Amino acid sequence: MNINIYYGGRGLIDDPTLFVINKMQEILEELRVKVTRYNLYECKNTIPTLPQTLKDADGIILATTVEWYGIGGYMQQFLDACWLFGDKEKMAKIYMCPVAMSTTYGEREAQLNLSTAWEILGGLPCEGICGYIENTVTLEMNDQYIRLIEKKAENMYRTINQHIPCFPASNQVVKQKIAVPKGTNLTPQETEQLSQYVSDDSYVQRQKQDIQELTSLFRDMMNGEGTDDEEEYLAVFRKAFRPLPGFRAEYSFAVEEKKKKLAVSIDGSKLECSYGTLEQPDVEMQLNRATMEDIVNGRMTFQRAFMSGAMKTKGDFRILRTLDQVFSFEEK
């Protein structure tokens, strides 16, 4: 017989749940049961792959500690992984004993949550253990409590060994009628492989980078026509120009969707606008097309675009502020 223990606490020395599962493991091993422990806080990066460990299990113990509210994040992640990646046919034959010890309030609700979750997954529940323990020493020194733990372990062994049936649960019926998840049409082997990919951070990051590169590639392909129109924005800048006597400055605009930069040179009442590269502009700006459209249509100022982070700027910020004085765009 194989029994897996999944511990969802934080591994603190004074955690009463640790004492309970240690005692249960001791009793089960005396009954010649192979017990495998999984500390979820040590496996937090590979939790999506843990449902694979259910394959050879006849029974499991889901153990968690209620420190302030609920069953805890690690245990919830494991149950989510069972729902997304677990073999439901295999889980339907696995007995589960919930263990929920509390140092605050809510151990009964936590035990019920574990049992309900396992039933929804299709598994078979066993009688569990729950209790409020303020001090672990009290638990360790109380022979009656220890005997209760031993009895629960023996009852779990007996239930699995004799394949004691369970009455149907209503939440199974509800799930089948109104809460059927969208099928992925994946085989158990494909689901297992997917769970491995999900837990591989380097693979996930590599996929994100590939998606970003493809997005950029297709965006350039779709916007290839017209984006390098060397007359775009020139007329609207000339129309909005309001010269300042004695003011001289050069601005370079890098619009993300355009390959060439918009170069604007001001010398008193003289304005030059073109697409090209300036050797040493006073201010360099980087923005996307949507932000540029908002500016030239009078819906946003250069200063506001810079302050909001929509436009990145490098250079003399005093000259940057003058942009809104020398260019007055009409709102459209």
Side-chain angles (χ1 to χ4, degrees):
M1 182 185 299
N2 297 320
I3 292 180
N4 294 347
I5 299 176
Y6 299 91
Y7 167 64
R10 294 188 295 148
L12 302 178
I13 296 176
D14 58 347
D15 188 343
T17 305
L18 284 175
F19 177 81
V20 173
I21 59 179
N22 286 337
K23 181 59 66 175
M24 294 185 72
Q25 181 172 350
E26 178 185 329
I27 299 301
L28 291 170
E29 288 177 344
E30 289 178 0
L31 295 170
R32 297 184 179 180
V33 175
K34 180 182 178 182
V35 180
T36 306
R37 173 89 67 87
Y38 296 93
N39 296 322
L40 300 185
Y41 69 90
E42 296 176 347
C43 309
K44 55 186 177 182
N45 294 327
T46 58
I47 286 179
T49 66
L50 288 182
Q52 302 170 24
T53 62
L54 296 171
K55 286 184 176 182
D56 300 323
D58 301 296
I60 66 171
I61 296 174
L62 297 182
T64 191
T65 306
V66 181
E67 294 185 275
W68 74 282
Y69 182 79
I71 62 175
Y74 294 138
M75 183 58 69
Q76 187 63 57
Q77 288 182 48
F78 173 70
L79 292 171
D80 288 345
C82 290
W83 175 257
L84 294 171
F85 308 119
D87 186 344
K88 304 298 191 300
E89 293 183 3
K90 176 59 182 176
M91 285 190 285
K93 302 175 183 178
I94 299 177
Y95 289 87
M96 187 279 294
C97 175
V99 175
M101 307 304 291
S102 172
T103 58
T104 173
Y105 169 81
E107 69 281 355
R108 294 186 183 275
E109 291 80 358
Q111 181 189 9
L112 178 61
N113 287 341
L114 292 175
S115 297
T116 302
W118 193 250
E119 287 178 340
I120 292 176
L121 288 168
L124 304 170
C126 294
E127 186 178 356
I129 302 175
C130 70
Y132 166 74
I133 302 296
E134 184 177 4
N135 191 333
T136 307
V137 177
T138 304
L139 179 61
E140 296 174 353
M141 301 300 293
N142 192 308
D143 293 336
Q144 292 181 336
Y145 291 163
I146 294 175
R147 186 57 185 160
L148 283 174
I149 297 170
E150 292 174 348
K151 282 292 184 183
K152 294 292 186 180
E154 293 170 358
N155 289 339
M156 181 183 184
Y157 172 82
R158 191 176 299 109
T159 299
I160 298 173
N161 190 48
Q162 298 178 5
H163 298 286
I164 296 177
C166 300
F167 279 109
S170 61
N171 49 32
Q172 279 289 310
V173 179
V174 171
K175 183 192 74 169
Q176 293 170 4
K177 290 187 176 181
I178 64 174
V180 178
K182 295 181 179 179
T184 57
N185 296 322
L186 298 178
T187 65
Q189 292 76 16
E190 291 171 332
T191 302
E192 178 178 328
Q193 189 176 24
L194 178 60
S195 68
Q196 293 175 336
Y197 288 147
V198 170
S199 65
D200 188 344
D201 290 338
S202 62
Y203 175 82
V204 173
Q205 293 300 323
R206 189 164 61 252
Q207 291 298 305
K208 288 182 178 179
Q209 292 175 1
D210 291 344
I211 291 173
Q212 290 176 351
E213 291 176 2
L214 288 172
T215 301
S216 177
L217 174 63
F218 283 114
R219 183 179 60 197
D220 292 342
M221 291 174 62
M222 294 177 66
N223 295 331
E225 296 182 0
T227 56
D228 282 326
D229 179 6
E230 297 196 0
E231 293 298 322
E232 188 176 18
Y233 300 132
L234 300 186
V236 69
F237 266 81
R238 292 178 182 130
K239 181 179 180 182
F241 181 54
R242 303 291 182 268
L244 291 176
F247 177 71
R248 299 178 62 183
E250 290 186 337
Y251 302 94
S252 177
F253 297 87
V255 183
E256 290 182 0
E257 290 80 357
K258 298 182 72 64
K259 295 180 180 179
K260 292 184 179 181
K261 295 181 180 180
L262 173 61
V264 176
S265 299
I266 300 173
D267 186 359
S269 60
K270 184 180 178 182
L271 171 68
E272 293 184 3
C273 294
S274 62
Y275 281 95
T277 303
L278 295 172
E279 291 186 2
Q280 292 182 337
D282 296 292
V283 182
E284 296 181 57
M285 288 155 284
Q286 183 178 358
L287 66 168
N288 57 31
R289 175 179 289 274
T291 303
M292 179 63 89
E293 290 291 333
D294 285 340
I295 292 174
V296 299
N297 288 305
R299 295 189 293 267
M300 181 182 294
T301 62
F302 289 105
Q303 184 69 17
R304 181 182 170 190
F306 168 68
M307 295 299 291
S308 66
M311 182 176 70
K312 298 178 182 179
T313 305
K314 181 174 67 175
D316 191 330
F317 294 116
R318 291 175 299 176
I319 296 179
L320 169 65
R321 288 196 295 268
T322 312
L323 261 176
D324 290 317
Q325 299 177 35
V326 295
F327 293 104
S328 179
F329 297 101
E330 298 179 359
E331 185 173 357
K332 297 178 182 179

